[in-house]
Amino acid sequence: GAVVSQHPSRVICKSGTSVKIECRSLDFQATTMFWYRQFPKQSLMLMATSNEGSKATYEQGVEKDKFLINHASLTLSTLTVTSAHPEDSSFYICSASHRNPEWDIHNEQFFGPGTRLTVL
Amino acid sequence: GEDVEQSLFLSVREGDSSVINCTYTDSSSTYLYWYKQEPGAGLQLLTYIFSNMDMKQDQRLTVLLNKKDKHLSLRIADTQTGDSAIYFCAESPGGGATNKLIFGTGTLLAVQP
């Protein structure tokens, strides 16, 4: 199956600083990438959908100026949490998909391993 | 909007069958999915079902779909300790046109040896 990586896996930062999380599709070209956040013992909440070469589409309630998403290439999307605060501490997960008629599932999303962000 | 609902917790003995239930919201969802998440890890797609099917079996996994009631279930036969994880159902609203997934609240499966 397709592999998606995230870097870093864990990050601790001070309040007010910015943190960048990378999401890479390693063996396929991802036309669409998604960013989710997950609070402890809760479900994944979709933050935004990112298509290569265009602006991300943010879900209702997600501040686009706080969570900057860049999808500059078909294999890389980045999420930057700007001016991080303790309430931004969460598990951030990306996924990637590509329309490929040879694949079994239409628009299957492949998930990265997640990034644990802790803001002190 | 409405949530995709799941029971929070299920405990079974090793060797027994587990049944995890899900109530979804969008009747136009083309595919419905089951994902597994182990502690501190991302999501692994376990299985999926196309909306025009009632049942799908894949080795130890059986998915049942009741479109009328918007109810989805995952049965794991001969549950093993390695099956302990959080299980999420997910729907693709709007017929999959947007490629978005809406996840359920998750069910923690604990398998007792």
Side-chain angles (χ1 to χ4, degrees):
Chain A
V3 179
V4 176
S5 70
Q6 281 185 241
H7 178 79
S9 57
R10 289 178 178 270
V11 56
I12 301 173
C13 70
K14 292 183 179 180
S15 188
T17 60
S18 294
V19 174
K20 181 185 284 188
I21 302 170
E22 292 186 349
C23 177
R24 292 182 186 272
S25 56
L26 297 185
D27 50 6
F28 70 103
Q29 293 185 323
T31 48
T32 306
M33 287 186 169
F34 302 84
W35 287 97
Y36 299 83
R37 67 185 297 182
Q38 185 181 30
F39 291 106
K41 299 182 181 179
Q42 292 189 26
S43 186
L44 280 75
M45 301 301 296
L46 179 64
M47 299 174 66
T49 303
S50 162
N51 291 297
E52 187 264 339
S54 61
K55 289 185 178 180
T57 302
Y58 290 81
E59 295 299 300
Q60 193 173 6
V62 178
E63 298 176 60
K64 62 181 181 181
D65 295 329
K66 179 160 185 65
F67 298 100
L68 300 178
I69 292 171
N70 187 311
H71 190 166
S73 77
L74 284 171
T75 59
L76 173 64
S77 176
T78 60
L79 168 68
T80 301
V81 183
T82 62
S83 187
H85 289 280
E87 57 265 30
D88 299 324
S89 298
S90 190
F91 193 52
Y92 291 87
I93 302 175
C94 74
S95 70
S97 73
H98 175 62
R99 286 182 180 267
N100 185 336
E102 294 179 359
W103 285 3
D104 192 24
I105 301 179
H106 174 64
N107 291 344
E108 181 179 356
Q109 291 186 30
F110 299 94
F111 286 81
T115 296
R116 173 77 57 195
L117 171 63
T118 303
V119 185
L120 303 176
Chain B
E2 297 176 48
D3 290 335
V4 178
E5 298 284 349
Q6 296 179 237
S7 49
L8 286 179
F9 182 74
L10 176 65
S11 179
V12 300
R13 288 182 183 272
E14 191 173 19
D16 289 348
S17 292
S18 308
V19 179
I20 302 171
N21 295 300
C22 169
T23 303
Y24 61 98
T25 61
D26 190 335
S27 57
S28 68
S29 291
T30 307
Y31 290 94
L32 294 142
Y33 307 85
W34 283 103
Y35 285 86
K36 176 183 180 183
Q37 184 182 34
E38 297 186 3
L43 272 69
Q44 173 194 357
L45 177 64
L46 282 179
T47 188
Y48 66 96
I49 188 167
F50 190 51
S51 60
N52 69 353
M53 298 170 65
D54 298 324
M55 184 184 84
K56 178 180 179 181
Q57 186 155 2
D58 184 0
Q59 300 183 338
R60 292 191 298 124
L61 305 178
T62 303
V63 179
L64 295 178
L65 174 60
N66 181 330
K67 269 193 91 170
K68 175 176 169 290
D69 295 336
K70 289 187 274 188
H71 185 264
L72 183 72
S73 69
L74 174 69
R75 178 177 180 270
I76 305 173
D78 187 25
T79 313
Q80 303 297 307
T81 54
D83 295 324
S84 295
I86 301 175
Y87 290 80
F88 293 97
C89 63
E91 62 176 349
S92 185
T98 63
N99 203 22
K100 288 168 57 171
L101 289 176
I102 304 300
F103 285 87
T105 46
T107 299
L108 174 61
L109 174 64
V111 182
Q112 311 300 324

